[in-house]
Amino acid sequence: MLEGFKDFDEFDIATSDTTIHGRRGGAGPPVLLLHGIPETHLMWHRVAPRLAERFTVVATDLRGFGASGTPPSTPDHAPYSMRAIARDQVGVMRALGYERFAVAGHDRGARCAYRMALDHREAVARLAVLDIVPTGDAFGRADTDFALGYWVWSFLAAPEPVPERLIAAAPSVLVDHMLDSWSRVPDAFPPEVRAAYTAQFADHATVHAICEEYRAAATLDREHDESDRGRRRIGCPTLALWSAAGPVAEWYEPLDIWQAWADDVRGGPIDSGHFLPEEAPDETARHLLDFLA
């Protein structure tokens, strides 16, 4: 077990149609931590113990990732929409006894987190989104830079079984590319963490689930965002953090975009690559602690 999670208890909780794996530790108000791609909940191993000094921290694997379940999909990809994935996480928190909680998500986890804040306003007390803009805005503003820089969005969303079979041939190529080309801090990923991220991409069911998530992003998630635009808002305080060196900083005005969705938004850039909690854990933890206090 990673040192950062040594005082955390593992759990597997059944939701309405799958099982979610995670860890819980600390004491105080509840905070849910959600990971991105190609990671699992282990990405929080440097930040979670610091938050656990003041909060009860729950870190989970999203549906389709890590040790969480990979339920069957459908032709419209609905089981892997962020609406379904957010429902899982609300169910986990309720099963643990938390009706209202803060949530911080990175990358795909941030997409789950803001969808949760829109669909389950009564549950989310505070929202932190790391290195994203909303899915609808990303697709709506897509250009050549997006097509080339975010090629993973198109590749993983390609029709089954093309990405599944290509990844199966060399899973470490995809994972290493993501970790190495999207980061700026050398040795941000301990060998055992990198190995855990790579191992999940050797499992066909997991790879198919992750591809289904990207297919849902390009269809249902985008449609849900556009349906909500101008009609539903994030009602809780919102923190947006992003890489000072990455595409979110280069392509967008992140606070302006989030202010179109939420009434109370703050935040700014962090000097790191894409993987803020792993590359800049001290600064990420400090921002989160200040925001959650």
Side-chain angles (χ1 to χ4, degrees), residues 62 77-88 107-116 119 135 213 216-217 220-221 224:
L62 298 174
H77 321 297
Y80 289 92
S81 69
M82 285 302 167
R83 177 157 285 164
I85 293 170
R87 192 164 54 240
D88 285 339
D107 189 86
R108 311 311 294 178
R111 301 187 187 285
C112 172
Y114 84 76
R115 175 46 55 189
M116 191 185 309
D119 287 359
T135 302
E213 182 187 307
L220 292 176
D221 293 348
H224 293 158

Side-chain angles (χ1 to χ4, degrees), residues 14-279:
T15 63
S16 58
D17 54 4
T18 192
T19 301
I20 299 298
H21 178 76
R23 300 178 195 254
R24 175 171 61 167
V31 179
L32 173 63
L33 302 179
L34 302 174
H35 65 87
I37 190 172
E39 299 143 310
T40 69
H41 76 278
L42 296 179
M43 70 164 292
W44 296 101
H45 70 99
R46 294 187 175 109
V47 172
R50 304 180 196 196
L51 299 184
E53 294 173 4
R54 291 164 51 184
F55 298 92
T56 298
V57 176
V58 177
T60 62
D61 292 341
L62 298 174
R63 170 190 297 216
F65 283 82
S68 287
T70 55
S73 193
T74 56
D76 66 354
H77 321 297
Y80 289 92
S81 69
M82 285 302 167
R83 177 157 285 164
I85 293 170
R87 192 164 54 240
D88 285 339
Q89 300 299 325
V90 172
V92 165
M93 295 301 279
R94 287 177 178 163
L96 292 172
Y98 311 122
E99 293 293 328
R100 189 165 171 80
F101 51 89
V103 57
H106 171 260
D107 189 86
R108 311 311 294 178
R111 301 187 187 285
C112 172
Y114 84 76
R115 175 46 55 189
M116 191 185 309
L118 287 166
D119 287 359
H120 304 274
R121 289 171 58 97
E122 76 291 347
V124 180
R126 286 180 175 265
L127 167 69
V129 287
L130 276 58
D131 213 37
I132 70 159
V133 297
T135 302
D137 289 274
F139 276 114
R141 299 162 187 255
D143 57 11
T144 301
D145 288 337
F146 178 95
L148 296 176
Y150 277 7
W151 62 269
V152 167
W153 287 41
S154 299
F155 170 60
L156 295 178
E160 182 185 2
V162 174
E164 286 92 338
R165 290 190 179 177
L166 292 175
I167 293 168
S172 64
V173 171
L174 180 65
V175 175
D176 287 343
H177 172 83
M178 292 179 181
L179 296 179
D180 297 336
S181 67
W182 297 351
S183 62
R184 297 291 183 274
V185 177
D187 303 321
F189 313 101
E192 64 269 34
V193 170
R194 186 183 288 262
Y197 297 163
T198 302
Q200 65 181 338
F201 281 83
D203 178 76
H204 173 76
T206 296
V207 171
H208 176 60
I210 292 171
C211 291
E212 282 294 286
E213 182 187 307
Y214 277 82
R215 292 167 185 140
T219 53
L220 292 176
D221 293 348
R222 179 176 54 80
E223 292 165 10
H224 293 158
D225 279 7
E226 293 309 317
S227 176
D228 286 343
R229 187 182 301 279
R231 297 177 56 251
R232 300 172 72 192
R233 293 180 65 78
I234 296 167
C236 63
T238 300
L239 174 70
L241 301 174
W242 59 89
S243 163
V248 173
E250 181 180 352
W251 300 344
Y252 311 110
E253 295 293 337
L255 287 184
D256 289 349
I257 291 175
W258 283 110
Q259 284 165 357
W261 286 93
D263 298 323
D264 179 358
V265 182
R266 68 205 75 174
I270 286 181
D271 185 17
S272 80
H274 173 60
F275 303 99
L276 278 57
E278 292 172 286
E279 297 184 69

